[in-house]
Amino acid sequence: MLTDFISNSTRKKLNELQDELSKIYPCKICIYFMNNEKFKDCARVHAAKHTSATYYKMAISSTLSNDIKTCLYLDIDMLVIADLREFFHIDLKDNAIASVLDYKGSNHNVLTAKNQNLADMPLNTNESYFNTGMMLLNLAFWRTNQLEKKCFYLCKNYIPRWAEQCIINKAAQDKNIKLPLKFNFFDSNFLELETLDDNKYNNRILYTKSEYENSMKSIKVVHFISYKPWNTIFDSQWDLNLMQEIISLEQSWWNTALTTPIFKDELLGLKFTLKDKEFQNYVNRITQLFIQKQGEIKELQIQISNLNQTITKLENENKTLQNEIISLKQTKGAALRVQNQLAYKLGTTLMSYSKSKFFYLNPKFYLTLLSIKSKHKKSKKAYENLIFSNPSFKLPLLETYADYDEALKVQNFFSYRLGLEFIKASKTWYKGGLVKFYFKAKKLKKEFKKKKV
């Protein structure tokens, strides 16, 4: 145990815990007191914002006696759920560390120099950046290659993004054995993160989907990097956003904690305190949700008000259209209705533009035709909707108008006939309809000239 302080009462409890655990398996709890002065140059970032403790692991090789060649280091936010002896069958060979790789990302790829005379130092984060929460340390290698000294040099001259983790990654670069995820399984792995197979850059697990699934089947150590069970207790009925697997892991932590000799009563009291705290958090979340829903209701009321204004506007437009239809239902109006047909509108427009040389090269010519067709289509749709809702507004047949003969004459105008031919041609433009229209228009023009003669 690495610490800078421990009370006499806690030390006594740890001695009692050692005696109880030794009844199951012989063990010894050793406490190593660290001098914070040694870590004064270490940047206070991330987990080290309020304490130097996270840097203590850099000094393990000098803290433990030289006869200890191998050491398994575990952070305090971990839960061991299987036999650890498998660790000590790992052959470290000529490597400093055996550990599990961390997430891949762009926010921890450099050590920032404290002195402007030094350049920033890059980190190899592509496929080898490891997590220092669990490390099997080759202390003999650390001592021979002075890795501890390298760590303190880096701390003195550089600022890391993730405290000691970036420092150790740089000091032991290319001297780490990649272990399966099961030896340091992050609780956040249950969230929607990408594996190496998913071809994305950030927030990616540096393992394949197959490696991830195999580790899931035999997890050895759980690392609570997202939620700390001793800080907050989550209830799946209260927090639906939390993955059920994470809740299950946290419950496993508490099951283990409440069966820990000597400390179980103290931990049980902590759990009750957290339950009360979490209930208050639940009440606060419900209150926030209520306030949020009130805001949503207000927004919905505004939308309803805007919709009512739109409906009123449409009703007024409908009345205007009804008045126009009533005016068209006068005794005379057949000729006017024919002139309002699409064929007549297009024909007169074609005749108007054809007076100019090379009119077909003028973009405005085509925009005018498209605008006429669009307006006519909207007007037709509005009329259909009107008579659907009120059939009494349906216009009478042309034959019933007093000026029906005049309407027939309009339909025989060159402009009307030209418009009809253009409509037909437009429907088969992809088959050369518009080219054929050119010749039909010339033929139609000759016919009308003969009639005039």
Side-chain angles (χ1 to χ4, degrees):
M1 182 183 296
L2 306 177
T3 184
D4 61 347
F5 172 79
I6 193 167
S7 66
N8 290 332
S9 60
T10 301
R11 182 181 292 191
K12 181 182 177 182
K13 288 181 179 179
L14 288 172
N15 288 334
E16 293 173 357
L17 176 63
Q18 174 184 287
D19 294 339
E20 288 296 318
L21 293 178
S22 294
K23 295 176 183 178
I24 304 171
Y25 191 89
C27 65
K28 185 176 181 180
I29 299 176
C30 298
I31 303 170
Y32 296 91
F33 290 95
M34 311 300 287
N35 183 357
N36 285 321
E37 184 65 19
K38 185 175 182 178
F39 303 91
K40 64 180 180 180
D41 292 327
C42 299
R44 293 304 185 93
V45 295
H46 190 51
K49 280 185 178 179
H50 307 294
T51 177
S52 299
T54 189
Y55 288 104
Y56 292 169
K57 65 187 78 170
M58 299 189 312
I60 290 177
S61 63
S62 64
T63 301
L64 301 184
S65 61
N66 289 338
D67 61 321
I68 300 176
K69 306 298 183 185
T70 307
C71 170
L72 176 62
Y73 172 84
L74 296 172
D75 271 348
I76 61 171
D77 55 352
M78 291 184 151
L79 174 65
V80 177
I81 58 177
D83 196 329
L84 293 181
R85 286 177 290 185
E86 185 178 346
F87 275 104
F88 298 100
H89 290 285
I90 297 171
D91 186 0
L92 289 168
K93 299 178 182 177
D94 188 31
N95 289 287
I97 300 169
S99 61
V100 171
L101 300 187
D102 205 275
Y103 295 129
K104 181 177 183 178
S106 59
N107 59 358
H108 52 227
N109 58 5
V110 68
L111 296 179
T112 305
K114 293 181 180 179
N115 190 324
Q116 61 181 1
N117 295 326
L118 293 173
D120 291 346
M121 192 173 288
L123 283 171
N124 183 9
T125 59
N126 289 333
E127 308 295 342
S128 61
Y129 186 83
F130 56 88
N131 183 274
T132 56
M134 183 289 300
M135 296 184 290
L136 182 64
L137 300 171
N138 183 349
L139 297 182
F141 184 94
W142 273 68
R143 293 170 184 136
T144 302
N145 293 275
Q146 297 185 319
L147 292 194
E148 184 174 320
K149 185 177 180 180
K150 290 180 181 178
C151 286
F152 281 99
Y153 168 80
L154 292 171
C155 283
K156 185 175 182 178
N157 293 285
Y158 294 91
I159 300 173
R161 174 66 178 85
W162 300 103
E164 94 298 337
Q165 183 161 283
C166 289
I167 296 294
I168 296 176
N169 264 272
K170 188 60 182 179
Q173 187 167 302
D174 300 324
K175 287 297 179 180
N176 172 64
I177 297 175
K178 174 184 173 180
L179 295 180
L181 271 170
K182 66 180 181 180
F183 290 112
N184 183 5
F185 197 90
F186 308 154
D187 59 349
S188 56
N189 285 344
F190 288 111
L191 302 176
E192 294 181 7
L193 298 174
E194 310 294 337
T195 63
L196 283 176
D197 309 312
D198 293 310
N199 231 2
K200 292 187 178 179
Y201 184 77
N202 288 321
N203 294 327
R204 189 172 75 180
I205 300 173
L206 292 175
Y207 293 84
T208 64
K209 187 175 182 180
S210 175
E211 289 173 327
Y212 171 79
E213 291 174 347
N214 287 335
S215 287
M216 279 278 292
K217 297 173 185 176
S218 58
I219 298 174
K220 300 286 184 182
V221 180
V222 177
H223 194 171
F224 292 99
I225 66 172
S226 296
Y227 303 100
K228 313 298 184 185
W230 51 93
N231 285 340
T232 307
I233 296 176
F234 289 98
D235 189 315
S236 60
Q237 295 178 347
W238 291 356
D239 196 333
L240 299 178
N241 295 321
L242 200 64
M243 295 288 287
Q244 187 61 43
E245 291 86 350
I246 297 178
I247 296 172
S248 177
L249 289 176
E250 292 180 341
Q251 289 173 344
S252 295
W253 188 93
W254 275 108
N255 291 339
T256 303
L258 296 180
T259 57
T260 302
I262 312 304
F263 289 92
K264 60 183 179 181
D265 291 339
E266 187 176 329
L267 290 168
L268 183 60
L270 173 63
K271 185 175 183 180
F272 283 136
T273 301
L274 291 176
K275 276 289 186 182
D276 291 339
K277 179 182 176 182
E278 181 56 25
F279 179 74
Q280 187 57 50
N281 289 341
Y282 171 67
V283 172
N284 292 339
R285 286 200 296 273
I286 293 298
T287 302
Q288 291 172 3
L289 184 62
F290 177 74
I291 294 172
Q292 178 186 335
K293 292 300 179 184
Q294 279 187 318
E296 292 175 0
I297 290 172
K298 188 175 180 180
E299 180 64 27
L300 186 61
Q301 288 173 336
I302 293 173
Q303 292 177 9
I304 291 173
S305 176
N306 292 337
L307 183 61
N308 287 333
Q309 292 177 14
T310 302
I311 290 172
T312 301
K313 182 181 177 182
L314 290 173
E315 287 176 343
N316 292 334
E317 290 177 355
N318 188 29
K319 287 179 181 178
T320 302
L321 185 61
Q322 289 175 4
N323 293 333
E324 290 177 0
I325 291 174
I326 290 171
S327 65
L328 287 173
K329 280 189 170 183
Q330 304 304 317
T331 307
K332 291 185 178 182
L336 183 62
R337 280 180 58 186
V338 171
Q339 290 172 359
N340 198 44
Q341 289 177 0
L342 182 60
Y344 184 82
K345 293 177 182 177
L346 291 175
T348 53
T349 301
L350 287 166
M351 288 178 64
S352 175
Y353 272 94
S354 65
K355 294 175 183 177
S356 302
K357 195 174 183 181
F358 302 118
F359 69 92
Y360 49 83
L361 296 178
N362 186 355
K364 188 178 179 182
F365 166 64
Y366 299 100
L367 291 174
T368 303
L369 292 178
L370 289 173
S371 176
I372 290 171
K373 290 185 71 175
S374 177
K375 289 179 180 179
H376 183 83
K377 186 178 180 180
K378 288 180 181 179
S379 178
K380 184 179 178 182
K381 184 66 178 178
Y383 171 68
E384 290 173 351
N385 290 337
L386 179 65
I387 62 174
F388 179 79
S389 59
N390 193 342
S392 64
F393 287 108
K394 186 175 182 180
L395 292 169
L397 297 174
L398 289 177
E399 293 89 334
T400 62
Y401 285 87
D403 61 343
Y404 176 62
D405 291 338
E406 189 67 27
L408 292 177
K409 290 179 181 179
V410 174
Q411 286 180 337
N412 281 303
F413 284 177
F414 175 72
S415 56
Y416 190 92
R417 295 277 301 279
L418 185 66
L420 281 179
E421 292 296 337
F422 182 77
I423 292 172
K424 292 177 185 177
S426 298
K427 292 178 180 179
T428 58
W429 62 269
Y430 54 91
K431 293 182 179 179
L434 294 176
V435 175
K436 294 177 182 177
F437 168 72
Y438 172 77
F439 294 104
K440 286 185 178 181
K442 291 187 73 174
K443 182 179 179 182
L444 190 63
K445 189 174 182 180
K446 288 181 180 179
E447 289 178 4
F448 271 80
K449 280 185 177 180
K450 287 180 180 179
K451 286 182 181 179
K452 285 184 179 180
V453 173

